[in-house]
Amino acid sequence: MSFPRKTHWTKDVTPELDGKEVVLAGWVWDIRDLGNIKFILLRDREGIIQLTIKKGVTPESVLSLTQSLGREDAIVVRGGIVKASKIARAGGVEVFPSEVYVVSKSKALPIDIWGGSVETDLDTRLKYRSVDLKRPINSLIFRVESEVVRAIREALYNRGFIEVFTPKIIVTSTEGGAELFAVQYFERVAYLAQSPQLYKEELTASLERVFEIAPPAYRAEKHNTNYHLNEFISVDIEEAFANYVDVMDILEDVIINVYDRVNKVFSNELAKYGVEIKVPKKPFRRVTYDEALDILGRRGGLKINWGDDVPKNGLEILSEEFGEPFFIIHFPTDLRAFYTKPPLDSDPKISESFDLVMGGLEIASGSSRIHVKEQLIEALRKRGA
RNA sequence: GCCCCGGUGGUAUAGCCCGGUCUAGUAUGGCGGCCUGUCGAGCCGCAGACCCGGGUUCAAAUCCCGGCCGGGGGGCCA
């Protein structure tokens, strides 16, 4: 079957186009049939618009065709735009179809995607994931994710970084810590990369500033929380001729650009779900590890031994204290990866390192790297490598 | 792996403690009908379910045992 090419997203059909003709395409979200007048809500990726079918106005062929339409049928519609003050939905615009093409009929859906009184269990939703993704909130999540990644790239390209892609099937651990997934690599065993870290460091020796949005990184840990995954998208950057303070500065730009872009593009849609974006301001607060422990001990009633990592509830207390995103800097050297550079102020127990914390979560970490070969070898020896 | 909780139409649930009144209730979705301005549309009608196996009992959705599946907590981990 042939049908005309889609000319507009539903969100682009605005009252200014009153009297114009458009071709829309999408899925039947809902039908309200009042007999001689019928309203079809058409959904595409960008939103929902109302099609109005009216006896005496709509052509007979369209009238009879729309009799048999059902929810989630895929259709293409040619029609005229009419500015309508009475309708609350779809920006006060309705479309009177002159032609309707049914691309594909839908069966009854196995789950509720309309967000009424029935909330489907996650497990059932995942079973019918392609249907579940029709829910507007899910489509929004994917579109925001895409914008976030675009904003990260934008900020980093502006800072002179280039994007690289490192191997994901590797022979051994690149960073230590988390367990690796083993995979059969022909006649031998290989592992899925947990981090692009060491590749990144090698790349700076020629390309200076690189980043990778790893698709994805793998950690073989049997954790079962909503903030730990076995497979996740990581953003890694590495810069030559720079230290941890320079990197925090870049990170601030990246974070602010992400919030700013998402706010500009999605503030209206997010408001429907009660989400309001606050764009953080530079510079982010920087507290030292020692200060953080002190604050937690005095105001949070949380005692942490020097040398231990700040636990999750500690980060939550500090987030409450500071509100905005903040850095914890100068972690104990032994707490960080072997390539992290000590000493700070000639104290080898303290490193040039930072964590970025937002909303009680550690969302990024970084450090100056050791650039003297002998020190690197020494650091590896200390860890028993 | 450990502790706790649960599995009833497509979906989400009530009923289970205290077995019979369950011919299993409700909402939503589906199907059919009515309505020329709906927007969580409304109204009328129809179809649709007790996870599997065993046991107790005159009688099991309901009680007991086993299995399978799912949820929550905590542990490890970023």
Side-chain angles (χ1 to χ4, degrees):
Chain A
M1 185 215 275
S2 70
F3 38 81
R5 179 90 167 103
K6 177 171 183 163
T7 61
H8 290 71
W9 297 102
T10 54
K11 69 159 185 198
D12 295 327
V13 180
T14 57
E16 293 75 59
L17 293 177
D18 188 25
K20 294 275 185 347
E21 190 185 77
V22 292
V23 177
L24 303 174
W27 294 264
V28 175
W29 177 248
D30 197 9
I31 300 170
R32 280 189 273 277
D33 187 349
L34 279 67
N36 285 321
I37 188 165
K38 187 200 305 245
F39 305 101
I40 296 170
L41 299 181
L42 176 70
R43 182 192 85 253
D44 69 6
R45 194 183 77 194
E46 301 291 331
I48 293 172
I49 195 165
Q50 175 166 293
L51 311 175
T52 304
I53 313 289
K54 209 169 184 175
K55 197 166 190 181
V57 178
T58 304
E60 277 301 323
S61 58
V62 172
L63 225 45
S64 63
L65 184 79
T66 53
Q67 275 317 315
S68 60
L69 275 186
R71 282 177 160 183
E72 287 311 306
D73 288 349
I75 61 173
V76 175
V77 176
R78 187 195 298 279
I81 297 166
V82 174
K83 189 164 66 180
S85 56
K86 275 196 285 188
I87 58 173
R89 217 146 172 175
V93 178
E94 58 188 333
V95 171
F96 281 77
S98 53
E99 297 168 21
V100 173
Y101 304 82
V102 179
V103 179
S104 186
K105 293 289 291 178
S106 171
K107 291 199 293 185
L109 264 42
I111 57 172
D112 189 319
I113 62 168
W114 299 278
S117 55
V118 178
E119 201 60 43
T120 308
D121 294 341
L122 179 63
D123 192 53
T124 312
R125 285 173 42 198
L126 293 176
K127 183 176 173 185
Y128 302 105
R129 186 57 162 161
S130 69
V131 176
D132 184 52
L133 291 174
K134 290 169 175 285
R135 303 190 324 147
I137 179 68
N138 279 339
S139 136
L140 179 60
I141 288 167
F142 275 77
R143 287 181 292 133
V144 169
E145 180 180 52
S146 175
E147 192 63 36
V148 165
V149 173
R150 181 212 291 261
I152 291 169
R153 290 203 167 102
E154 189 177 73
L156 290 174
Y157 280 126
N158 285 342
R159 287 280 202 150
F161 284 78
I162 67 168
E163 186 166 8
V164 297
F165 304 93
T166 63
K168 298 298 159 226
I169 298 173
I170 57 175
V171 292
T172 184
S173 172
T174 49
E175 204 180 346
E179 292 293 314
L180 299 172
F181 280 111
V183 292
Q184 191 60 239
Y185 186 74
F186 304 108
E187 69 282 356
R188 58 176 294 184
V189 173
Y191 300 93
L192 297 179
Q194 57 164 199
S195 159
Q197 184 58 38
L198 267 33
Y199 285 110
K200 238 175 30 175
E201 293 189 41
E202 292 185 314
L203 284 161
T204 58
S206 56
L207 298 171
E208 301 190 34
R209 297 177 201 182
V210 299
F211 74 99
E212 176 168 38
I213 299 177
Y218 302 92
R219 305 272 164 100
E221 301 287 347
K222 288 183 179 175
H223 35 56
N224 185 217
T225 73
N226 55 9
Y227 55 96
H228 287 136
L229 297 168
N230 295 302
E231 171 181 329
F232 63 97
I233 309 294
S234 75
V235 177
D236 266 272
I237 79 159
E238 195 78 20
E239 177 171 1
F241 309 113
N243 66 23
Y244 72 118
V245 176
D246 301 317
V247 175
M248 283 192 281
D249 196 46
I250 292 164
L251 189 49
E252 285 175 345
D253 278 355
V254 169
I255 297 291
I256 287 168
N257 197 236
V258 166
Y259 275 71
D260 188 50
R261 293 288 317 177
V262 171
N263 188 239
K264 283 202 172 90
V265 180
F266 295 107
S267 58
N268 287 342
E269 279 186 78
L270 288 167
K272 290 178 197 162
Y273 300 97
V275 175
E276 192 190 338
I277 303 279
K278 286 200 196 73
V279 183
K281 290 192 173 50
K282 282 179 87 161
F284 299 172
R285 182 192 291 263
R286 292 167 193 193
V287 298
T288 66
Y289 173 82
D290 287 359
E291 285 165 354
L293 257 52
D294 188 48
I295 290 168
L296 286 172
R298 280 189 297 117
R299 274 176 273 182
L302 187 68
K303 173 118 177 69
I304 297 160
N305 293 322
W306 199 95
D308 288 347
D309 211 345
V310 182
K312 183 162 164 29
N313 62 332
L315 298 179
E316 283 164 1
I317 292 166
L318 291 170
S319 284
E320 200 138 316
E321 185 80 17
F322 302 136
E324 298 295 312
F326 65 94
F327 289 105
I328 301 175
I329 59 176
H330 303 166
F331 281 86
T333 305
D334 288 347
L335 219 45
R336 309 299 284 215
F338 72 88
Y339 47 78
T340 305
K341 184 181 182 185
L344 184 80
D345 300 331
S346 72
D347 182 351
K349 293 201 299 298
I350 300 176
S351 62
E352 296 188 6
S353 56
F354 66 85
D355 277 5
L356 176 65
V357 181
M358 295 185 78
L361 283 177
E362 174 202 325
I363 68 161
S365 63
S367 69
S368 302
R369 316 304 199 196
I370 297 173
H371 63 270
V372 178
K373 183 183 174 186
E374 287 71 27
Q375 285 176 14
L376 207 48
I377 291 170
E378 179 59 24
L380 276 166
R381 279 223 178 84
K382 266 190 186 161
R383 314 258 171 157

